[in-house]
Amino acid sequence: AQTVTQSQPEMSVQEAETVTLSCTYDTSESDYYLFWYKQPPSRQMILVIRQEAYKQQNATENRFSVNFQKAAKSFSLKISDSQLGDAAMYFCAHGAGSQGNLIFGKGTKLSVKP
Amino acid sequence: GAGVSQSPSNKVTEKGKDVELRCDPISGHTALYWYRQSLGQGLEFLIYFQGNSAPDKSGLPSDRFSAERTGGSVSTLTIQRTQQEDSAVYLCASSLVGSRETQYFGPGTRLLVL
């Protein structure tokens, strides 16, 4: 069975600084996908970034980038130039071609200090 | 275009009553998912609909939970004889085709069982 582990329940970063959120996963799938979702207090889950496992290049979206280490089954999220609006819960998730649903980690609460 | 919508936004009910939660997916999305998020936790998969195929009900926690999707569009999650442990945020998501596509989430329904 697939599992997703986020070992940092809470993180804090100074505005304009860089922070990295950790995620490790376990899977027996060869065709899988990894996601980071952001959930602000409004509770709307918002896609931050997506990575296909077959791609060696790390995905980037503006200030957000990932460090995908396939052999180590690690998928960390780096947020550069942190902004107050980045404060939220961040969830790492695993999806596979053989299953419909995503498997989520328990989340990391990110605080941004002005 | 319009995103995933859910209603009601909040629902308070008494223990033992039945509740219905509604999800309207993004137009054209054939896959629809229900998840449950208990306080401070990650998302727990409940059920997955893909086109006209039989739904994947493997995540439903008990036979008090059921869901249907009419006409391949709107879905209703029904909880019968609600219990206090059913209190949670119920999130619906949809994706274009299925498991390889990104899931887009609605704002959720917060259910409180007194």
Side-chain angles (χ1 to χ4, degrees), chain A residues 18 25 34 37 39 42 44 46 49 52 56 61 71-73 76 86 92 96 100 104 108-109:
Chain A
T18 296
Y25 62 94
L34 298 164
Y37 281 90
Q39 186 180 43
S42 67
Q44 176 91 48
I46 302 165
I49 202 163
E52 283 82 357
Q56 292 186 335
E61 285 290 341
K73 295 182 179 176
S76 60
D86 294 334
C92 178
F104 285 84
T108 296
K109 182 177 181 180

Side-chain angles (χ1 to χ4, degrees), chain B residues 88-106:
Chain B
V89 174
Y90 289 82
L91 291 163
C92 175
S94 70
S95 67
L96 189 59
V97 175
S99 56
R100 288 181 172 81
E101 301 292 331
T102 296
Q103 295 182 23
Y104 296 91
F105 285 80

Side-chain angles (χ1 to χ4, degrees), chain B residues 5-77:
Chain B
S5 61
Q6 292 186 247
S7 61
S9 179
N10 295 281
K11 176 73 175 178
V12 180
T13 190
E14 294 179 348
K15 178 182 174 181
K17 294 284 181 68
D18 297 352
V19 294
E20 286 189 352
L21 312 180
R22 176 188 168 105
C23 172
D24 207 335
I26 293 172
S27 177
H29 281 195
T30 64
L32 186 147
Y33 313 79
W34 284 98
Y35 295 87
R36 177 170 70 175
Q37 185 178 26
S38 300
L39 186 63
Q41 298 296 312
L43 277 68
E44 172 191 8
F45 165 70
L46 296 177
I47 189 168
Y48 160 48
F49 296 90
Q50 173 55 61
N52 296 321
S53 302
D56 176 359
K57 304 180 182 179
S58 60
L60 294 178
S62 76
D63 58 7
R64 296 187 296 105
F65 288 73
S66 63
E68 63 177 19
R69 188 177 185 193
T70 54
S73 182
V74 172
S75 177
T76 302
L77 177 68

Side-chain angles (χ1 to χ4, degrees), chain A residues 19-105:
Chain A
V19 64
T20 298
L21 308 184
S22 300
C23 173
T24 58
Y25 62 94
D26 193 14
T27 185
S28 56
E29 302 283 342
S30 57
D31 174 22
Y32 63 91
Y33 310 81
L34 298 164
F35 304 84
W36 279 97
Y37 281 90
K38 168 186 176 181
Q39 186 180 43
S42 67
R43 74 178 185 239
Q44 176 91 48
M45 295 284 283
I46 302 165
L47 177 70
V48 175
I49 202 163
R50 168 192 168 114
Q51 174 82 44
E52 283 82 357
Y54 66 85
K55 290 187 178 179
Q56 292 186 335
Q57 187 172 7
N58 289 325
T60 63
E61 285 290 341
N62 300 314
R63 298 182 296 107
F64 300 87
S65 62
V66 298
N67 183 5
F68 175 43
Q69 300 291 325
K70 191 171 182 178
K73 295 182 179 176
S74 171
F75 182 62
S76 60
L77 175 69
K78 185 172 82 171
I79 306 174
S80 304
D81 185 26
S82 297
Q83 301 176 359
L84 295 177
D86 294 334
M89 285 290 290
Y90 285 81
F91 291 96
C92 178
H94 169 285
S98 65
Q99 69 187 53
N101 58 290
L102 296 176
I103 306 297
F104 285 84

